[in-house]
Amino acid sequence: MKLEVGRVARAHGLNGAVVVHFVTDRVAERTVPGAELWAGERRLEVLAAQIHQTDKWLVSFDGVTSREAADDLRGLL
C-alpha cells in the first residue's frame, strides 16, 4: 500500500530539482538521502532535500538530472 506524502509542484532550476509540497508530518524521514518515494508508478530515490520558503521543499532525485525530466514529474503525488 502506498500513502500520499506530497505532490510535486514544479521544476526548480536546470538540474532536475523539484519543488514538493509535503502533506505528511514525517518530512524528515521522507527526505533523507536514500529514501524511496513513488511518483505514479515511478520509484524515486532522494539524493538531497532542503526547505524552500517556509512550507515547501526542494528535492533532487536520482536519475532526474534536467529541467525536462523534472517537468515530467509535475503534479504527481
Side-chain angles (χ1 to χ4, degrees):
M1 176 171 75
K2 297 176 188 170
L3 300 174
E4 181 180 333
V5 297
R7 177 181 300 273
V8 177
R10 61 182 174 81
H12 181 82
L14 301 175
N15 297 323
V18 293
V19 175
V20 177
H21 293 273
F22 282 101
V23 296
T24 181
D25 60 350
R26 296 182 176 181
V27 175
E29 293 174 27
R30 307 296 184 226
T31 56
V32 64
E36 291 183 1
L37 301 174
W38 289 84
E41 295 300 315
R42 184 173 177 181
R43 180 188 137 310
L44 297 168
E45 181 180 338
V46 174
L47 292 179
Q50 65 185 36
I51 195 135
H52 176 67
Q53 298 176 345
T54 64
D55 62 340
K56 301 172 207 137
W57 285 76
L58 292 180
V59 183
S60 297
F61 295 109
D62 186 37
V64 181
T65 58
S66 68
R67 183 167 186 97
E68 293 77 18
D71 277 335
D72 289 342
L73 299 177
R74 181 190 301 252
L76 294 178
L77 299 175

